[in-house]
Amino acid sequence: MSRAARLTPLIAALLAGCVVGPNYVKPAAPLPSDSKLREVELAAQARVSAEKLPEKWWQLYRDPVLDRLVTDALTHNTDIRVAAANLQRARAVLAEQRGARLPTLTPSAQYSRQQGNSANAAAFGGGGGAARTFQFDLFQLGIDASYEVDLFGGVTRAIQAGRGDVEASVAQLDAARVAVAAETARNYAAACANAQQLAVARETVRLQRETLGLTRRSFDAGRGTQRDVQQQEVLVAQVEAQLPGLEAERRAALYALATLTGRPAEQVDAEADRCTAVPQLDQPLPAGDGAALIARRPDVRAAERTLAADTARIGVAVADLYPSISLLGRIGLNATRGSQLFKGTSVNYSIGPLIQWNFPNQTVARARVRQARAQAEASLARFDAAVLAALNETEQALARYAGALDQREVLARAETASTEAARISRLRFQSGLDSSLQLIQAERDLANARTARAQAEASVAEAQVSLFRALGGGWEGAPEVTRRAPGSP
Protein backbone atom coordinates (compact mmCIF):
# COMPACT_ATOMS: atom_id res chain seq x y z
CA MET A 1 0.00 0.00 0.00
CA SER A 2 1.37 3.43 -0.92
CA ARG A 3 2.05 6.14 1.65
CA ALA A 4 -0.76 8.31 0.22
CA ALA A 5 -3.22 5.46 0.53
CA ARG A 6 -2.27 4.99 4.18
CA LEU A 7 -2.69 8.69 4.94
CA THR A 8 -6.08 9.09 3.24
CA PRO A 9 -8.18 7.59 6.12
CA LEU A 10 -6.27 9.69 8.66
CA ILE A 11 -6.83 12.92 6.76
CA ALA A 12 -10.50 12.08 6.29
CA ALA A 13 -10.88 11.37 10.00
CA LEU A 14 -9.35 14.74 10.87
CA LEU A 15 -11.64 16.57 8.48
CA ALA A 16 -14.75 14.71 9.68
CA GLY A 17 -15.08 17.10 12.60
CA CYS A 18 -16.03 19.96 10.25
CA VAL A 19 -19.82 20.36 10.39
CA VAL A 20 -21.25 23.04 8.12
CA GLY A 21 -24.53 24.88 8.53
CA PRO A 22 -25.95 26.80 11.50
CA ASN A 23 -25.95 25.28 14.98
CA TYR A 24 -29.44 25.23 16.46
CA VAL A 25 -30.20 27.55 19.36
CA LYS A 26 -33.63 27.24 20.95
CA PRO A 27 -35.53 30.49 20.35
CA ALA A 28 -36.88 32.56 23.20
CA ALA A 29 -40.64 32.23 23.48
CA PRO A 30 -42.65 35.49 23.22
CA LEU A 31 -43.84 35.31 26.85
CA PRO A 32 -45.02 38.13 29.12
CA SER A 33 -42.20 39.66 31.15
CA ASP A 34 -43.44 38.08 34.38
CA SER A 35 -44.56 34.82 32.66
CA LYS A 36 -47.89 35.05 34.49
CA LEU A 37 -51.30 34.53 32.96
CA ARG A 38 -53.38 37.69 33.25
CA GLU A 39 -56.65 35.89 33.90
CA VAL A 40 -55.10 33.91 36.74
CA GLU A 41 -54.14 37.19 38.38
CA LEU A 42 -57.65 38.54 37.90
CA ALA A 43 -59.47 35.43 39.05
CA ALA A 44 -60.52 34.81 42.62
CA GLN A 45 -58.40 32.24 44.43
CA ALA A 46 -61.51 30.17 45.09
CA ARG A 47 -61.92 29.60 41.33
CA VAL A 48 -58.48 29.36 39.71
CA SER A 49 -55.08 28.86 41.30
CA ALA A 50 -51.53 29.16 40.04
CA GLU A 51 -50.81 25.62 41.19
CA LYS A 52 -49.24 23.19 38.72
CA LEU A 53 -51.70 21.30 36.53
CA PRO A 54 -51.71 17.64 37.60
CA GLU A 55 -50.70 14.92 35.18
CA LYS A 56 -54.18 13.42 34.91
CA TRP A 57 -56.42 16.46 35.29
CA TRP A 58 -59.67 14.53 34.73
CA GLN A 59 -59.13 12.80 38.09
CA LEU A 60 -59.82 16.15 39.78
CA TYR A 61 -63.52 15.40 39.21
CA ARG A 62 -63.22 12.30 41.40
CA ASP A 63 -65.49 10.42 39.02
CA PRO A 64 -64.39 6.79 38.48
CA VAL A 65 -66.53 6.46 35.36
CA LEU A 66 -64.83 9.45 33.73
CA ASP A 67 -61.42 8.16 34.80
CA ARG A 68 -62.10 4.78 33.19
CA LEU A 69 -63.45 6.29 29.99
CA VAL A 70 -60.43 8.57 29.51
CA THR A 71 -58.00 5.73 30.21
CA ASP A 72 -59.86 3.54 27.74
CA ALA A 73 -59.82 6.27 25.10
CA LEU A 74 -56.09 6.91 25.55
CA THR A 75 -55.51 3.19 25.01
CA HIS A 76 -57.77 2.46 22.04
CA ASN A 77 -58.59 5.70 20.22
CA THR A 78 -57.91 5.54 16.48
CA ASP A 79 -56.46 9.06 16.24
CA ILE A 80 -53.89 8.14 18.86
CA ARG A 81 -53.07 4.95 16.97
CA VAL A 82 -52.43 7.00 13.83
CA ALA A 83 -50.14 9.38 15.73
CA ALA A 84 -48.31 6.43 17.32
CA ALA A 85 -47.76 4.90 13.86
CA ASN A 86 -46.36 8.22 12.61
CA LEU A 87 -43.94 8.21 15.54
CA GLN A 88 -42.80 4.69 14.66
CA ARG A 89 -42.19 5.80 11.09
CA ALA A 90 -40.13 8.81 12.24
CA ARG A 91 -38.02 6.53 14.42
CA ALA A 92 -37.44 4.18 11.50
CA VAL A 93 -36.31 7.12 9.32
CA LEU A 94 -33.89 8.18 12.07
CA ALA A 95 -32.49 4.65 12.21
CA GLU A 96 -31.95 4.78 8.44
CA GLN A 97 -30.11 8.10 8.75
CA ARG A 98 -27.91 6.75 11.54
CA GLY A 99 -27.07 3.82 9.32
CA ALA A 100 -25.28 6.21 6.96
CA ARG A 101 -22.47 6.41 9.55
CA LEU A 102 -21.69 2.72 9.11
CA PRO A 103 -19.72 1.14 6.25
CA THR A 104 -21.61 -0.79 3.62
CA LEU A 105 -20.52 -4.38 2.96
CA THR A 106 -21.79 -6.21 -0.11
CA PRO A 107 -20.81 -9.89 -0.36
CA SER A 108 -21.11 -11.53 -3.77
CA ALA A 109 -20.67 -14.95 -5.30
CA GLN A 110 -20.73 -15.86 -9.00
CA TYR A 111 -20.22 -18.84 -11.21
CA SER A 112 -20.11 -18.54 -15.00
CA ARG A 113 -19.31 -20.79 -17.96
CA GLN A 114 -17.34 -18.76 -20.51
CA GLN A 115 -16.21 -19.31 -24.07
CA GLY A 116 -13.17 -17.81 -25.81
CA ASN A 117 -11.38 -17.98 -29.20
CA SER A 118 -7.60 -18.32 -29.63
CA ALA A 119 -7.70 -15.95 -32.61
CA ASN A 120 -8.71 -13.12 -30.28
CA ALA A 121 -5.76 -13.91 -28.05
CA ALA A 122 -3.42 -13.73 -31.05
CA ALA A 123 -4.75 -10.35 -32.02
CA PHE A 124 -3.62 -9.02 -28.65
CA GLY A 125 -0.12 -10.47 -28.80
CA GLY A 126 -0.98 -14.05 -28.08
CA GLY A 127 0.52 -17.06 -29.84
CA GLY A 128 -0.14 -17.78 -33.51
CA GLY A 129 -1.53 -20.92 -35.08
CA ALA A 130 -4.95 -21.94 -36.17
CA ALA A 131 -7.84 -20.39 -34.35
CA ARG A 132 -9.70 -22.64 -31.99
CA THR A 133 -12.61 -22.26 -29.61
CA PHE A 134 -12.21 -23.11 -25.95
CA GLN A 135 -14.46 -23.04 -22.87
CA PHE A 136 -13.68 -22.63 -19.18
CA ASP A 137 -15.37 -22.18 -15.79
CA LEU A 138 -14.97 -19.04 -13.62
CA PHE A 139 -15.63 -19.08 -9.87
CA GLN A 140 -15.75 -15.74 -8.00
CA LEU A 141 -16.23 -14.81 -4.33
CA GLY A 142 -15.86 -11.24 -3.08
CA ILE A 143 -16.77 -8.53 -0.60
CA ASP A 144 -17.21 -4.90 -1.65
CA ALA A 145 -16.91 -2.29 1.10
CA SER A 146 -17.70 1.43 0.97
CA TYR A 147 -17.71 4.12 3.62
CA GLU A 148 -18.76 7.73 3.06
CA VAL A 149 -16.64 10.05 5.17
CA ASP A 150 -18.82 12.67 6.86
CA LEU A 151 -16.38 15.31 5.71
CA PHE A 152 -18.61 18.37 6.16
CA GLY A 153 -21.21 16.98 8.55
CA GLY A 154 -24.01 16.23 6.09
CA VAL A 155 -24.71 12.90 7.79
CA THR A 156 -24.49 14.48 11.23
CA ARG A 157 -27.00 17.17 10.27
CA ALA A 158 -29.31 14.57 8.73
CA ILE A 159 -29.28 12.63 12.00
CA GLN A 160 -30.01 15.82 13.93
CA ALA A 161 -32.93 16.53 11.60
CA GLY A 162 -34.25 13.00 12.05
CA ARG A 163 -33.99 13.31 15.81
CA GLY A 164 -35.96 16.56 15.66
CA ASP A 165 -38.63 14.86 13.55
CA VAL A 166 -38.91 12.05 16.09
CA GLU A 167 -39.31 14.49 18.98
CA ALA A 168 -41.88 16.47 16.98
CA SER A 169 -43.80 13.23 16.37
CA VAL A 170 -43.71 12.51 20.11
CA ALA A 171 -45.22 15.93 20.74
CA GLN A 172 -47.87 15.34 18.07
CA LEU A 173 -48.76 12.06 19.77
CA ASP A 174 -49.08 14.00 23.02
CA ALA A 175 -51.33 16.52 21.23
CA ALA A 176 -53.58 13.69 20.06
CA ARG A 177 -53.78 12.43 23.65
CA VAL A 178 -54.67 15.89 24.95
CA ALA A 179 -57.44 16.22 22.37
CA VAL A 180 -58.83 12.74 23.00
CA ALA A 181 -58.83 13.15 26.80
CA ALA A 182 -60.58 16.51 26.47
CA GLU A 183 -63.16 15.23 23.97
CA THR A 184 -63.90 12.22 26.15
CA ALA A 185 -64.44 14.41 29.21
CA ARG A 186 -66.50 16.89 27.19
CA ASN A 187 -68.84 14.26 25.77
CA TYR A 188 -69.20 12.55 29.15
CA ALA A 189 -70.08 15.89 30.74
CA ALA A 190 -72.48 16.60 27.88
CA ALA A 191 -74.27 13.27 28.37
CA CYS A 192 -74.55 13.91 32.11
CA ALA A 193 -75.64 17.52 31.59
CA ASN A 194 -78.37 16.55 29.12
CA ALA A 195 -79.61 13.89 31.53
CA GLN A 196 -79.66 16.49 34.30
CA GLN A 197 -81.56 18.95 32.09
CA LEU A 198 -83.97 16.17 31.17
CA ALA A 199 -84.65 15.57 34.86
CA VAL A 200 -85.24 19.28 35.41
CA ALA A 201 -87.54 19.50 32.37
CA ARG A 202 -89.56 16.47 33.46
CA GLU A 203 -89.97 17.88 36.96
CA THR A 204 -91.05 21.19 35.43
CA VAL A 205 -93.57 19.38 33.23
CA ARG A 206 -94.95 17.63 36.32
CA LEU A 207 -95.37 20.92 38.17
CA GLN A 208 -96.86 22.61 35.11
CA ARG A 209 -99.40 19.81 34.74
CA GLU A 210 -100.39 20.26 38.37
CA THR A 211 -100.87 23.95 37.69
CA LEU A 212 -102.86 23.11 34.56
CA GLY A 213 -105.16 20.89 36.61
CA LEU A 214 -105.54 23.64 39.18
CA THR A 215 -106.36 26.16 36.43
CA ARG A 216 -108.99 23.84 34.93
CA ARG A 217 -110.65 23.25 38.27
CA SER A 218 -110.69 26.99 38.88
CA PHE A 219 -112.28 27.52 35.47
CA ASP A 220 -114.89 24.85 36.16
CA ALA A 221 -115.67 26.61 39.43
CA GLY A 222 -116.33 29.83 37.57
CA ARG A 223 -113.01 31.54 38.19
CA GLY A 224 -110.80 32.50 35.28
CA THR A 225 -111.39 32.02 31.58
CA GLN A 226 -110.80 29.41 28.89
CA ARG A 227 -107.87 31.52 27.70
CA ASP A 228 -106.15 30.96 31.08
CA VAL A 229 -106.46 27.19 30.60
CA GLN A 230 -105.11 27.38 27.06
CA GLN A 231 -102.18 29.55 28.12
CA GLN A 232 -101.26 26.99 30.76
CA GLU A 233 -101.55 24.22 28.14
CA VAL A 234 -99.16 26.18 25.90
CA LEU A 235 -96.70 26.48 28.77
CA VAL A 236 -96.83 22.72 29.39
CA ALA A 237 -96.31 22.00 25.69
CA GLN A 238 -93.34 24.37 25.50
CA VAL A 239 -91.57 22.55 28.30
CA GLU A 240 -92.47 19.13 26.89
CA ALA A 241 -91.02 20.17 23.52
CA GLN A 242 -87.58 20.39 25.13
CA LEU A 243 -87.54 16.71 26.11
CA PRO A 244 -86.91 15.06 22.69
CA GLY A 245 -84.03 17.39 21.87
CA LEU A 246 -82.35 16.86 25.21
CA GLU A 247 -82.72 13.08 24.92
CA ALA A 248 -81.32 13.12 21.38
CA GLU A 249 -78.28 15.15 22.46
CA ARG A 250 -77.72 12.82 25.41
CA ARG A 251 -77.67 9.76 23.15
CA ALA A 252 -75.46 11.55 20.62
CA ALA A 253 -72.87 12.24 23.35
CA LEU A 254 -72.95 8.57 24.39
CA TYR A 255 -72.36 7.49 20.78
CA ALA A 256 -69.40 9.90 20.57
CA LEU A 257 -67.98 8.38 23.76
CA ALA A 258 -68.15 4.90 22.27
CA THR A 259 -66.29 6.05 19.14
CA LEU A 260 -63.64 7.88 21.18
CA THR A 261 -62.91 4.69 23.11
CA GLY A 262 -62.50 2.69 19.89
CA ARG A 263 -65.88 0.96 19.92
CA PRO A 264 -68.76 0.97 17.44
CA ALA A 265 -71.24 3.74 18.26
CA GLU A 266 -73.93 1.24 19.22
CA GLN A 267 -71.83 -0.07 22.14
CA VAL A 268 -72.92 2.65 24.57
CA ASP A 269 -71.16 2.63 27.92
CA ALA A 270 -73.70 1.48 30.50
CA GLU A 271 -72.34 3.54 33.41
CA ALA A 272 -72.15 6.71 31.33
CA ASP A 273 -75.73 6.04 30.24
CA ARG A 274 -76.82 6.15 33.89
CA CYS A 275 -75.09 9.46 34.69
CA THR A 276 -77.58 12.16 35.75
CA ALA A 277 -75.36 14.88 37.28
CA VAL A 278 -72.66 17.04 35.73
CA PRO A 279 -69.17 16.31 37.14
CA GLN A 280 -68.06 18.99 39.60
CA LEU A 281 -64.67 20.22 40.78
CA ASP A 282 -64.30 20.44 44.54
CA GLN A 283 -61.23 22.68 44.43
CA PRO A 284 -59.92 25.69 42.48
CA LEU A 285 -58.87 24.79 38.96
CA PRO A 286 -55.03 24.66 38.81
CA ALA A 287 -53.85 26.74 35.83
CA GLY A 288 -50.13 27.27 36.52
CA ASP A 289 -48.26 30.10 34.80
CA GLY A 290 -47.25 31.05 31.29
CA ALA A 291 -43.80 29.45 31.35
CA ALA A 292 -45.21 26.12 32.51
CA LEU A 293 -47.91 26.37 29.86
CA ILE A 294 -45.38 26.79 27.03
CA ALA A 295 -43.27 23.92 28.33
CA ARG A 296 -46.35 21.69 28.57
CA ARG A 297 -48.31 22.46 25.40
CA PRO A 298 -47.56 19.71 22.87
CA ASP A 299 -48.25 21.91 19.85
CA VAL A 300 -45.58 24.37 21.05
CA ARG A 301 -43.13 21.54 21.65
CA ALA A 302 -43.85 20.09 18.21
CA ALA A 303 -43.27 23.48 16.56
CA GLU A 304 -39.97 23.95 18.41
CA ARG A 305 -38.70 20.48 17.49
CA THR A 306 -39.73 20.98 13.86
CA LEU A 307 -37.72 24.21 13.86
CA ALA A 308 -34.70 22.29 15.19
CA ALA A 309 -35.07 19.69 12.43
CA ASP A 310 -35.43 22.30 9.70
CA THR A 311 -32.37 24.15 11.01
CA ALA A 312 -30.34 20.93 10.76
CA ARG A 313 -31.56 20.45 7.18
CA ILE A 314 -29.81 23.71 6.25
CA GLY A 315 -26.54 21.95 7.13
CA VAL A 316 -27.53 18.96 4.99
CA ALA A 317 -28.07 21.27 2.03
CA VAL A 318 -24.84 23.23 2.65
CA ALA A 319 -22.81 20.00 2.82
CA ASP A 320 -23.85 19.25 -0.77
CA LEU A 321 -21.84 22.30 -1.88
CA TYR A 322 -18.60 20.57 -0.88
CA PRO A 323 -16.83 17.43 -2.09
CA SER A 324 -17.84 14.04 -0.78
CA ILE A 325 -15.26 11.33 -0.14
CA SER A 326 -16.00 7.63 -0.03
CA LEU A 327 -13.47 4.95 0.87
CA LEU A 328 -13.91 1.94 -1.42
CA GLY A 329 -12.41 -1.47 -1.04
CA ARG A 330 -12.78 -4.95 -2.46
CA ILE A 331 -11.32 -8.34 -1.73
CA GLY A 332 -12.16 -11.36 -3.80
CA LEU A 333 -11.26 -14.84 -4.92
CA ASN A 334 -11.17 -15.77 -8.64
CA ALA A 335 -10.40 -19.22 -10.03
CA THR A 336 -11.23 -21.33 -13.06
CA ARG A 337 -11.59 -24.41 -10.88
CA GLY A 338 -13.45 -24.78 -7.66
CA SER A 339 -10.53 -26.61 -6.05
CA GLN A 340 -8.28 -23.61 -6.68
CA LEU A 341 -10.70 -20.98 -5.33
CA PHE A 342 -9.22 -20.81 -1.84
CA LYS A 343 -5.57 -20.87 -2.83
CA GLY A 344 -3.36 -17.83 -2.36
CA THR A 345 -2.98 -17.30 -6.09
CA SER A 346 -6.75 -16.63 -6.46
CA VAL A 347 -6.78 -13.62 -4.08
CA ASN A 348 -7.27 -10.12 -5.51
CA TYR A 349 -8.10 -6.81 -3.82
CA SER A 350 -8.42 -3.08 -4.38
CA ILE A 351 -8.64 -0.05 -2.08
CA GLY A 352 -8.77 3.69 -2.56
CA PRO A 353 -10.81 6.86 -2.13
CA LEU A 354 -13.58 8.14 -4.42
CA ILE A 355 -14.00 11.92 -4.55
CA GLN A 356 -17.16 13.47 -6.03
CA TRP A 357 -17.92 17.17 -6.36
CA ASN A 358 -20.55 19.03 -8.32
CA PHE A 359 -18.36 21.92 -9.46
CA PRO A 360 -18.45 24.55 -10.88
CA ASN A 361 -22.21 24.25 -11.60
CA GLN A 362 -23.76 24.45 -8.12
CA THR A 363 -27.01 26.15 -9.08
CA VAL A 364 -29.18 23.29 -7.87
CA ALA A 365 -27.28 22.86 -4.58
CA ARG A 366 -27.38 26.57 -3.76
CA ALA A 367 -31.08 26.70 -4.57
CA ARG A 368 -31.65 23.88 -2.08
CA VAL A 369 -29.75 25.81 0.58
CA ARG A 370 -32.04 28.80 0.03
CA GLN A 371 -35.07 26.53 0.22
CA ALA A 372 -33.86 25.05 3.51
CA ARG A 373 -33.23 28.49 5.01
CA ALA A 374 -36.69 29.68 3.96
CA GLN A 375 -38.25 26.56 5.49
CA ALA A 376 -36.44 27.23 8.77
CA GLU A 377 -37.67 30.84 8.76
CA ALA A 378 -41.22 29.60 8.25
CA SER A 379 -40.80 27.10 11.10
CA LEU A 380 -39.59 29.89 13.39
CA ALA A 381 -42.69 31.91 12.53
CA ARG A 382 -44.88 28.86 13.22
CA PHE A 383 -43.19 28.42 16.59
CA ASP A 384 -43.90 32.04 17.54
CA ALA A 385 -47.48 31.61 16.30
CA ALA A 386 -47.90 28.43 18.38
CA VAL A 387 -46.73 30.22 21.53
CA LEU A 388 -49.01 33.20 20.93
CA ALA A 389 -51.94 30.90 20.12
CA ALA A 390 -51.34 28.91 23.31
CA LEU A 391 -51.37 32.04 25.44
CA ASN A 392 -54.41 33.39 23.62
CA GLU A 393 -56.41 30.17 23.92
CA THR A 394 -55.61 29.85 27.60
CA GLU A 395 -56.48 33.45 28.45
CA GLN A 396 -59.73 33.13 26.49
CA ALA A 397 -60.59 29.83 28.17
CA LEU A 398 -59.89 31.33 31.60
CA ALA A 399 -62.07 34.35 30.82
CA ARG A 400 -64.94 32.18 29.58
CA TYR A 401 -64.63 29.90 32.60
CA ALA A 402 -64.87 32.89 34.92
CA GLY A 403 -67.89 34.14 32.99
CA ALA A 404 -69.57 30.72 33.15
CA LEU A 405 -69.06 30.56 36.92
CA ASP A 406 -70.50 34.03 37.41
CA GLN A 407 -73.46 33.22 35.20
CA ARG A 408 -74.17 30.00 37.11
CA GLU A 409 -74.05 31.87 40.42
CA VAL A 410 -76.52 34.50 39.23
CA LEU A 411 -78.86 31.93 37.70
CA ALA A 412 -78.78 29.87 40.89
CA ARG A 413 -80.03 32.90 42.80
CA ALA A 414 -82.66 33.51 40.12
CA GLU A 415 -83.88 29.92 40.40
CA THR A 416 -84.18 30.20 44.17
CA ALA A 417 -86.14 33.43 43.88
CA SER A 418 -88.37 32.05 41.10
CA THR A 419 -89.11 28.91 43.12
CA GLU A 420 -90.24 30.98 46.09
CA ALA A 421 -92.23 33.36 43.90
CA ALA A 422 -94.03 30.48 42.21
CA ARG A 423 -94.83 28.87 45.57
CA ILE A 424 -96.32 32.13 46.90
CA SER A 425 -98.24 32.75 43.70
CA ARG A 426 -99.79 29.29 43.84
CA LEU A 427 -100.89 29.82 47.43
CA ARG A 428 -102.32 33.24 46.57
CA PHE A 429 -104.13 31.79 43.53
CA GLN A 430 -105.67 29.05 45.66
CA SER A 431 -106.76 31.73 48.13
CA GLY A 432 -108.22 33.84 45.35
CA LEU A 433 -105.74 36.68 45.83
CA ASP A 434 -103.93 36.25 42.50
CA SER A 435 -105.33 35.75 39.05
CA SER A 436 -104.52 32.74 36.89
CA LEU A 437 -102.49 35.02 34.63
CA GLN A 438 -100.21 35.92 37.54
CA LEU A 439 -99.81 32.24 38.42
CA ILE A 440 -99.01 31.31 34.81
CA GLN A 441 -96.40 34.05 34.62
CA ALA A 442 -94.80 32.90 37.88
CA GLU A 443 -94.73 29.30 36.62
CA ARG A 444 -93.21 30.43 33.31
CA ASP A 445 -90.50 32.36 35.14
CA LEU A 446 -89.73 29.30 37.26
CA ALA A 447 -89.52 27.03 34.21
CA ASN A 448 -87.17 29.43 32.47
CA ALA A 449 -85.02 29.83 35.59
CA ARG A 450 -84.68 26.08 36.07
CA THR A 451 -83.80 25.54 32.43
CA ALA A 452 -81.24 28.33 32.48
CA ARG A 453 -79.66 26.97 35.68
CA ALA A 454 -79.31 23.49 34.17
CA GLN A 455 -77.80 24.97 31.01
CA ALA A 456 -75.38 26.99 33.13
CA GLU A 457 -74.16 23.80 34.81
CA ALA A 458 -73.46 22.36 31.36
CA SER A 459 -71.69 25.56 30.30
CA VAL A 460 -69.41 25.44 33.35
CA ALA A 461 -68.42 21.85 32.57
CA GLU A 462 -67.80 22.77 28.92
CA ALA A 463 -65.66 25.75 29.97
CA GLN A 464 -63.66 23.63 32.39
CA VAL A 465 -62.83 21.01 29.78
CA SER A 466 -61.94 23.70 27.24
CA LEU A 467 -59.60 25.26 29.80
CA PHE A 468 -57.95 21.95 30.61
CA ARG A 469 -57.42 21.37 26.90
CA ALA A 470 -55.94 24.84 26.44
CA LEU A 471 -53.58 24.19 29.34
CA GLY A 472 -52.28 21.19 27.41
CA GLY A 473 -52.41 18.60 30.19
CA GLY A 474 -53.11 14.91 30.11
CA TRP A 475 -50.37 13.28 28.07
CA GLU A 476 -47.72 12.35 30.65
CA GLY A 477 -47.75 8.71 31.58
CA ALA A 478 -50.37 7.82 28.98
CA PRO A 479 -50.76 4.06 28.45
CA GLU A 480 -49.50 2.25 25.39
CA VAL A 481 -51.77 2.23 22.36
CA THR A 482 -53.35 -1.10 21.54
CA ARG A 483 -55.76 -2.28 18.92
CA ARG A 484 -59.14 -3.55 20.06
CA ALA A 485 -60.40 -6.70 18.43
CA PRO A 486 -63.57 -6.09 16.36
CA GLY A 487 -66.68 -6.48 18.48
CA SER A 488 -64.84 -6.78 21.79
CA PRO A 489 -66.21 -4.79 24.76
Side-chain angles (χ1 to χ4, degrees), residues 227-258:
R227 185 185 64 178
D228 297 335
V229 176
Q230 293 174 341
Q231 285 181 330
Q232 186 62 35
E233 289 176 345
V234 169
L235 187 57
V236 172
Q238 287 175 339
V239 179
E240 285 182 332
Q242 299 174 8
L243 301 180
L246 292 172
E247 176 60 25
E249 290 300 321
R250 188 186 74 87
R251 294 202 303 269
L254 292 173
Y255 297 146
L257 276 177

Side-chain angles (χ1 to χ4, degrees), residues 124-264:
F124 290 95
R132 65 184 182 84
T133 302
F134 60 91
Q135 295 180 336
F136 63 93
D137 295 326
L138 181 61
F139 297 87
Q140 293 180 313
L141 290 176
I143 296 179
D144 293 304
S146 65
Y147 175 71
E148 181 180 353
V149 181
D150 193 16
L151 188 61
F152 295 100
V155 176
T156 299
R157 294 303 193 193
I159 292 174
Q160 291 174 356
R163 189 180 297 116
D165 289 337
V166 169
E167 292 165 348
S169 295
V170 170
Q172 289 164 358
L173 175 57
D174 292 341
R177 287 168 172 162
V178 169
V180 167
E183 281 301 296
T184 302
R186 187 183 69 81
N187 280 282
Y188 176 72
C192 298
N194 280 291
Q196 183 174 335
Q197 291 180 64
L198 269 171
V200 170
R202 290 186 179 117
E203 176 63 15
T204 302
V205 168
R206 185 187 67 80
L207 293 175
Q208 295 290 349
R209 287 190 176 278
E210 289 182 359
T211 303
L212 175 61
L214 183 61
T215 305
R216 282 175 174 166
R217 289 193 296 272
S218 177
F219 172 72
D220 293 340
R223 292 178 53 200
T225 64
Q226 183 65 33
R227 185 185 64 178
D228 297 335
V229 176
Q230 293 174 341
Q231 285 181 330
Q232 186 62 35
E233 289 176 345
V234 169
L235 187 57
V236 172
Q238 287 175 339
V239 179
E240 285 182 332
Q242 299 174 8
L243 301 180
L246 292 172
E247 176 60 25
E249 290 300 321
R250 188 186 74 87
R251 294 202 303 269
L254 292 173
Y255 297 146
L257 276 177
T259 303
L260 284 165
T261 54
R263 298 182 175 89

Side-chain angles (χ1 to χ4, degrees), residues 1 3-16 149 327 351 353:
M1 182 183 297
R3 183 179 180 184
R6 291 195 301 269
L7 290 176
T8 298
L10 178 60
I11 296 172
L14 292 174
L15 291 175
V149 181
L327 302 180
I351 187 172

Side-chain angles (χ1 to χ4, degrees), residues 24-358:
Y24 177 70
V25 178
K26 186 175 180 179
L31 283 171
S33 57
D34 57 0
S35 297
K36 294 181 179 179
L37 296 170
R38 182 174 184 271
E39 284 293 327
V40 174
E41 294 294 308
L42 295 176
Q45 291 298 317
R47 298 179 175 183
V48 177
S49 71
E51 296 295 324
K52 179 183 176 182
L53 182 70
E55 180 178 316
K56 298 179 179 180
W57 54 262
W58 54 89
Q59 293 182 347
L60 294 173
Y61 289 103
R62 305 185 189 279
D63 189 326
V65 178
L66 175 60
D67 189 23
R68 175 181 57 78
L69 287 170
V70 173
T71 301
D72 206 19
L74 292 175
T75 305
H76 301 292
N77 183 265
T78 54
D79 290 340
I80 293 179
R81 286 167 48 197
V82 170
N86 290 337
L87 174 58
Q88 292 174 0
R89 178 183 177 278
R91 285 174 173 164
V93 172
L94 176 59
E96 177 185 357
Q97 291 163 339
R98 284 173 172 164
R101 286 193 181 278
L102 303 176
T104 301
L105 300 178
T106 308
S108 62
Q110 182 180 357
Y111 163 75
S112 62
R113 178 73 174 172
Q114 300 189 16
Q115 177 174 303
N117 193 296
S118 61
N120 295 334
F124 290 95
R132 65 184 182 84
T133 302
F134 60 91
Q135 295 180 336
F136 63 93
D137 295 326
L138 181 61
F139 297 87
Q140 293 180 313
L141 290 176
I143 296 179
D144 293 304
S146 65
Y147 175 71
E148 181 180 353
V149 181
D150 193 16
L151 188 61
F152 295 100
V155 176
T156 299
R157 294 303 193 193
I159 292 174
Q160 291 174 356
R163 189 180 297 116
D165 289 337
V166 169
E167 292 165 348
S169 295
V170 170
Q172 289 164 358
L173 175 57
D174 292 341
R177 287 168 172 162
V178 169
V180 167
E183 281 301 296
T184 302
R186 187 183 69 81
N187 280 282
Y188 176 72
C192 298
N194 280 291
Q196 183 174 335
Q197 291 180 64
L198 269 171
V200 170
R202 290 186 179 117
E203 176 63 15
T204 302
V205 168
R206 185 187 67 80
L207 293 175
Q208 295 290 349
R209 287 190 176 278
E210 289 182 359
T211 303
L212 175 61
L214 183 61
T215 305
R216 282 175 174 166
R217 289 193 296 272
S218 177
F219 172 72
D220 293 340
R223 292 178 53 200
T225 64
Q226 183 65 33
R227 185 185 64 178
D228 297 335
V229 176
Q230 293 174 341
Q231 285 181 330
Q232 186 62 35
E233 289 176 345
V234 169
L235 187 57
V236 172
Q238 287 175 339
V239 179
E240 285 182 332
Q242 299 174 8
L243 301 180
L246 292 172
E247 176 60 25
E249 290 300 321
R250 188 186 74 87
R251 294 202 303 269
L254 292 173
Y255 297 146
L257 276 177
T259 303
L260 284 165
T261 54
R263 298 182 175 89
E266 63 179 7
Q267 295 184 10
V268 171
D269 188 87
E271 290 183 298
D273 192 14
R274 291 193 292 269
C275 180
T276 57
V278 179
Q280 301 285 341
L281 292 178
D282 57 2
Q283 64 182 74
L285 194 151
D289 57 25
L293 169 68
I294 299 309
R296 183 174 55 241
R297 284 268 300 213
D299 56 339
V300 175
R301 291 188 289 118
E304 187 273 327
R305 289 291 81 202
T306 299
L307 172 59
D310 288 341
T311 302
R313 289 188 181 96
I314 298 175
V316 176
V318 172
D320 289 339
L321 296 173
Y322 299 95
S324 65
I325 295 180
S326 298
L327 302 180
L328 306 179
R330 175 180 172 78
I331 184 170
L333 302 173
N334 292 344
T336 57
R337 294 182 181 178
S339 59
Q340 299 176 343
L341 187 61
F342 296 100
K343 293 184 177 180
T345 56
S346 66
V347 177
N348 61 86
Y349 70 91
S350 65
I351 187 172
L354 171 65
I355 301 177
Q356 295 177 310
W357 192 10
N358 293 326

Side-chain angles (χ1 to χ4, degrees), residues 382-420:
R382 281 192 288 269
F383 169 74
D384 289 342
V387 173
L388 295 175
L391 293 170
N392 176 58
E393 290 174 13
T394 304
E395 295 284 18
Q396 287 182 335
L398 283 165
R400 289 172 179 144
Y401 178 50
L405 289 176
D406 289 340
Q407 183 184 48
R408 183 179 67 177
E409 183 179 346
V410 172
L411 290 175
R413 294 199 303 267
E415 181 186 9
T416 301
S418 297
T419 301
E420 181 63 16

